[in-house]
Amino acid sequence: MAGAGVLWDLHRLCRVLLFLSQFYILSGGGSFSVEPSQPLAQSDKDPGPTRTFTVVPRAAESTDIPPYMMKCPSNGLCSRLPADCIECKTNFSCVYGKPVTFDCTVKPSVTCVDQDFKSRKSFVLNMTCRFCWQLPETDYECSSSTSCMAVSCPRQRYTANCTVRDHVHCLGNRTFPKMLYCNWTGGYKWSTALALSITLGGFGADRFYLGQWREGLGKLFSFGGLGIWTLLDVLLIGVGYVGPADGSLYI
């Protein structure tokens, strides 16, 4: 029994000593350093001074197509080129309505030919001396308006923005304002309105067709104004004095 007790005390003493040694190491009292036995690999050494290379990009060649090229035909007649494709030395002191010639050159990237199909960069343009707003109505296009009364007395006008056609040459601005008469239509037919006024005018059918429902109800409940209103509407629609309620023209 005594021998077993001694062994137990030794076992406890060993456990205490092991605990103290671990505590001593963890608290920093002891450390182990391992010296490398071999030199470091070449990749871990100081690489030394490095060279810096600056890559200068080459100037990108411009491939943008000018906007006016969409209107310029390739190898077409120089005299038929649109005004956006050429530059001319104009003279505003010419006599109105008289023929005049101007020296013109084509813009960059534009190619044209003369009457002999020879490539040209400069040419002489023949035209009539007049400003763009003095051109005939067939030589320009104007914006339309549906907010004015086409059937009114006096007839209404509106301010339209007009643009000269591409192949027409003139002096001054190619876009200009102009006062035009209201000439839009809503799809109402004059023949249909007149036929309804003659046949069913006593019931207000003509007024209903033209979108004038108040007058149509008045004619309906008054039996066409005892026939007088019906006869008047036949006359007024026949001469075009009474038109659609939206102010548009007949078709």
Side-chain angles (χ1 to χ4, degrees), residues 191-206 219 230 234 237:
S191 58
T192 302
L194 182 60
L196 290 174
S197 182
I198 295 173
T199 58
L200 300 174
F203 300 100
D206 51 352
K219 291 182 68 175
T230 303
V234 172
I237 293 176

Side-chain angles (χ1 to χ4, degrees), residues 59-173:
E61 297 181 358
S62 177
T63 58
D64 295 336
I65 300 177
Y68 57 80
M69 287 298 297
M70 302 299 295
K71 297 182 179 180
C72 304
S74 179
N75 295 325
L77 289 176
C78 296
S79 58
R80 295 293 297 170
L81 284 176
D84 294 336
C85 306
I86 61 177
E87 295 179 350
C88 299
K89 298 179 180 179
T90 57
N91 183 7
F92 294 94
S93 62
C94 58
V95 180
Y96 171 75
K98 298 295 183 179
V100 64
T101 58
F102 296 124
D103 294 329
C104 302
T105 57
V106 296
K107 291 184 177 180
S109 304
V110 179
T111 58
C112 66
V113 296
D114 57 8
Q115 298 293 340
D116 298 329
F117 299 100
K118 295 182 179 179
S119 179
R120 297 290 184 182
K121 289 295 183 180
S122 60
F123 61 97
V124 176
L125 178 65
N126 299 315
M127 56 178 291
T128 303
C129 179
R130 55 189 171 187
F131 287 93
C132 294
W133 58 270
Q134 296 173 323
L135 291 172
E137 294 183 358
T138 56
D139 290 341
Y140 55 82
E141 297 178 350
C142 298
S143 60
S144 59
S145 175
T146 58
S147 60
C148 59
M149 297 290 291
V151 180
S152 63
C153 187
R155 191 175 177 185
Q156 292 185 0
R157 295 172 178 258
Y158 71 98
T159 303
N161 292 323
C162 302
T163 303
V164 180
R165 300 184 186 275
D166 291 337
H167 298 285
V168 178
H169 299 279
C170 56
L171 302 177
N173 295 327

Side-chain angles (χ1 to χ4, degrees), residues 211-233:
Q212 303 174 5
W213 59 272
R214 294 185 180 88
E215 292 80 355
L217 290 176
K219 291 182 68 175
L220 177 62
F221 291 108
S222 65
F223 301 102
L226 300 179
I228 300 176
W229 195 349
T230 303
L231 294 177
L232 289 176
D233 273 355

